Amino acid sequence: MRFVVETNLASHAAWWLVDDENHVVAWAGRTFVSLAYADQAAHDFRVNSDDPDYRVRPGAGGEWQWGAWRPEGVRVAVSGDWFPDAEAARDAARRVRQLACTAIGP
């Protein structure tokens, strides 16, 4: 697993957590004013991946997504994909929580 920090198609900086098969498993959930800020946010998430409260929520189409929230109410990551049910989203969040701290990157 590795963190990727770059600009998206709209030239906005963000970070993504990518697994060994090049699937995005998480991303910042927002963009940043510079690559340096995105890099710092990725680093903070990596070294503190156990701290956030991971929550799942349903989408309009019946699929589920997880989000990671700091105690002060700031969302710091979201799932890279939607899942067929809440349990699958929880499993994906657990995997990110366990593996993000060992990912290569910032």
Side-chain angles (χ1 to χ4, degrees), residues 15 41 44-55 66-78 93 96-97 100:
W15 64 259
D44 290 346
F45 184 72
R46 182 178 60 80
V47 300
N48 297 304
S49 61
D50 277 346
D51 292 343
D53 177 25
Y54 288 77
R55 305 174 196 164
W66 62 261
W69 297 80
R70 293 266 182 252
E72 61 272 11
V74 176
R75 186 179 67 187
V76 294
V78 296
V96 167
R97 176 179 248 155

Side-chain angles (χ1 to χ4, degrees), residues 5 13-14 19 28 34 37 43-44 55 57 59 61 81 90 99 102:
V5 177
D19 69 13
S34 71
Y37 282 111
H43 173 78
D44 290 346
R55 305 174 196 164
R57 70 175 185 90
D81 205 352
R90 279 196 234 8
L99 298 176
T102 62

Side-chain angles (χ1 to χ4, degrees), residues 21-38:
E21 296 173 359
N22 289 322
H23 295 113
V24 174
V25 296
W27 80 287
R30 68 185 197 101
T31 58
F32 299 89
V33 296
S34 71
L35 288 171
Y37 282 111

Side-chain angles (χ1 to χ4, degrees), residues 1-6 8 14-29 45 65-66 77-83 92-93 95-96:
M1 208 171 275
R2 71 187 188 285
F3 282 92
V4 175
V5 177
E6 58 189 22
N8 62 15
W15 64 259
W16 293 265
L17 182 58
V18 180
D19 69 13
D20 294 337
E21 296 173 359
N22 289 322
H23 295 113
V24 174
V25 296
W27 80 287
F45 184 72
Q65 182 182 47
W66 62 261
V78 296
S79 56
D81 205 352
W82 290 86
F83 301 92
R95 182 172 178 246
V96 167

